Amino acid sequence: MADSDANTCNYPGCTREVPRGTSPGRPPEYCDLPEHTRWRAWRERQRLQQEAVAAEEQHREAENTSVSVPAARPGGDPAPITSARLRADELLTRFAVQAEQLTATLASATTAFTAMSDPANAEAQVEAARVAAARRIAEADEARLASDNDRRAAERARKEAEAEAARAREAADSAIGAAGSAERMADQAITARQEALEAGAAATALAQATAVERDEALQAREAAAAEAEAARGETERVRTEATHRVERERAAAALRLSEVQEHAAAEHTRLSERLDALQEQLGEATAARDTATALAERTNEQAAQDRAERDRLAAEVERVREAARADLNEQRSGAAAALAETREAAAQRLAAVEDARTQVLHRAQRAEAQLDDALAELKQLRAATPADGS
């Protein structure tokens, strides 16, 4: 019987398609009909083979019957003994040829069944499956080691990232501290500016007091001029002294006011420049703090991604390991089932061979009996020939 297509059912006479499975292991060989199984397919093939053997045997018996020695009929073959001898020789030759063919077929079948039922072959096939499973397990272990190395590298990268984040946090804390110091210095500059403004206000008040004193001196001069009109020389002297005194006080007050204003302007300029520098430092510190915060966030995100990748690799290794174990168990169970089926099929085929051998022996014995009968009949004919001649 010819082999069926890879996509059709292996049951004898069935042309239905085999559904493709998604599970690992050996693909299915039979369709979805419940009666189309491996055991029933083997029984059906045995039945068909027995029917073919029976048909061939009937055909050969019919041929043997058709070519058997005809009985002597009056007015028939004029040399029946010679014809019977030739037919007997032809039958013996044909029987010898058929016996040799059956012997060769029996030897080939015995060799094939011995190879099929040989435990060494089954053990070799199981050992090959075990070696393939061991290779897959080794590959899975290699992948696990690679994933462990990747995990350790990711762990080192995570630790480095955490250290970098810690340094970034320290830098951010330093920047925040510098910003606090800058703010305190700005507060101090503002306080100094306020003090300078207060000093300017005090100088202005002093100038106003000097002006008041000047006015009072003028009033005193006028009063002294009115009171000492009699003593002009004394009055003039007093007036001159008062005038000089007023001028000196005015010049001193103006000089002091100018110095105070210049000092206040210089202090205001210096404090403004210092305040601008502190504000610039505060901006740089704020930018550094923002940069450090962003760096810390990116570092945390990278560490989270590394942890997720590590978990994914661990899950992938576990999945590959489970698949390899399942495949190995399935191959082991399939090999054991195949070995049991092969042994059972070999036993049944050996029984069938024994039956065929028994039938062949029966047929040989029957042919020998027919040959003996033909020889006995030939002897009878030989014995009867002289009597007829007399």
Side-chain angles (χ1 to χ4, degrees):
M1 183 179 296
D3 295 337
S4 60
D5 191 3
N7 293 326
T8 58
C9 181
N10 285 339
Y11 193 86
C14 181
T15 59
R16 293 169 57 88
E17 292 186 358
V18 178
R20 298 292 91 185
T22 58
S23 60
R26 186 171 58 185
E29 299 177 357
Y30 299 93
C31 62
D32 53 357
L33 292 178
E35 63 271 13
H36 287 186
T37 60
R38 186 187 301 277
W39 170 247
R40 291 184 178 180
W42 180 82
R43 291 183 61 184
E44 181 67 17
R45 284 192 289 270
Q46 292 295 320
R47 185 183 67 80
L48 294 176
Q49 185 177 3
Q50 290 176 3
E51 289 180 356
V53 171
E56 184 178 358
E57 193 172 317
Q58 291 178 359
H59 180 68
R60 290 178 179 176
E61 288 180 356
E63 288 182 353
N64 293 330
T65 304
S66 63
V67 299
S68 60
V69 178
R73 294 190 301 273
D77 190 1
I81 297 173
T82 304
S83 299
R85 181 180 297 174
L86 293 175
R87 181 60 59 189
D89 292 337
E90 183 180 357
L91 290 174
L92 287 175
T93 303
R94 186 177 297 178
F95 174 72
V97 172
Q98 291 180 357
E100 290 178 359
Q101 292 178 353
L102 289 175
T103 303
T105 304
L106 180 61
S108 300
T110 304
T111 303
F113 294 151
T114 303
M116 290 175 59
S117 61
D118 190 3
N121 295 331
E123 290 178 359
Q125 186 174 358
V126 172
E127 182 66 20
R130 187 187 65 79
V131 170
R135 184 175 64 253
R136 295 188 63 181
I137 292 175
E139 292 176 354
D141 291 336
E142 185 178 358
R144 180 181 61 80
L145 293 175
S147 64
D148 290 338
N149 294 328
D150 294 338
R151 179 180 59 80
R152 285 192 291 270
E155 188 68 21
R156 288 194 299 271
R158 183 183 65 81
K159 290 181 180 180
E160 293 177 357
E162 290 178 354
E164 187 67 23
R167 289 193 295 272
R169 284 194 295 270
E170 291 178 358
D173 294 337
S174 300
I176 292 171
S181 300
E183 290 177 355
R184 288 193 297 273
M185 293 177 67
D187 293 336
Q188 292 176 1
I190 292 171
T191 303
R193 180 181 178 183
Q194 190 66 30
E195 291 177 355
L197 292 176
E198 291 177 356
T204 303
L206 181 59
Q208 290 177 357
T210 303
V212 171
E213 290 180 358
R214 183 192 61 187
D215 294 337
E216 290 177 354
L218 291 174
Q219 291 176 2
R221 186 189 63 181
E222 291 176 356
E227 291 177 356
E229 191 175 346
R232 182 172 294 273
E234 188 64 23
T235 301
E236 289 294 336
R237 187 181 60 82
V238 171
R239 184 177 61 186
T240 301
E241 290 179 0
T243 301
H244 289 307
R245 183 179 178 184
V246 169
E247 291 296 334
R248 285 196 304 272
E249 291 292 336
R250 182 182 294 174
L255 181 60
R256 188 174 179 183
L257 178 60
S258 177
E259 291 177 357
V260 170
Q261 288 178 352
E262 290 177 358
H263 179 71
E267 188 67 21
H268 181 270
T269 303
R270 186 180 63 82
L271 292 176
S272 297
E273 293 176 353
R274 187 175 181 184
L275 180 60
D276 293 337
L278 291 175
Q279 288 179 352
E280 185 177 358
Q281 292 179 1
L282 179 61
E284 293 177 355
T286 304
R289 181 185 61 187
D290 295 338
T291 303
T293 303
L295 180 60
E297 292 177 354
R298 288 196 300 271
T299 303
N300 293 330
E301 291 177 357
Q302 185 65 32
Q305 293 177 359
D306 293 338
R307 287 192 294 270
E309 183 67 18
R310 181 192 62 190
D311 297 336
R312 186 186 67 78
L313 291 174
E316 183 68 18
V317 169
E318 188 65 25
R319 185 184 65 79
V320 171
R321 185 180 296 172
E322 292 296 331
R325 290 176 181 172
D327 194 4
L328 177 60
N329 293 329
E330 184 176 358
Q331 288 183 358
R332 286 179 178 174
S333 61
L339 179 60
E341 291 178 359
T342 303
R343 288 179 177 176
E344 186 176 359
Q348 293 178 357
R349 291 182 180 179
L350 287 175
V353 169
E354 290 295 332
D355 293 338
R357 184 179 181 183
T358 303
Q359 293 177 3
V360 169
L361 291 176
H362 285 313
R363 290 176 63 187
Q365 291 175 359
R366 187 167 62 249
E368 289 179 356
Q370 292 177 358
L371 181 61
D372 293 337
D373 293 338
L375 293 175
E377 186 178 357
L378 180 61
K379 289 181 180 179
Q380 292 176 1
L381 291 174
R382 287 179 179 177
T385 300
D388 291 338
S390 65

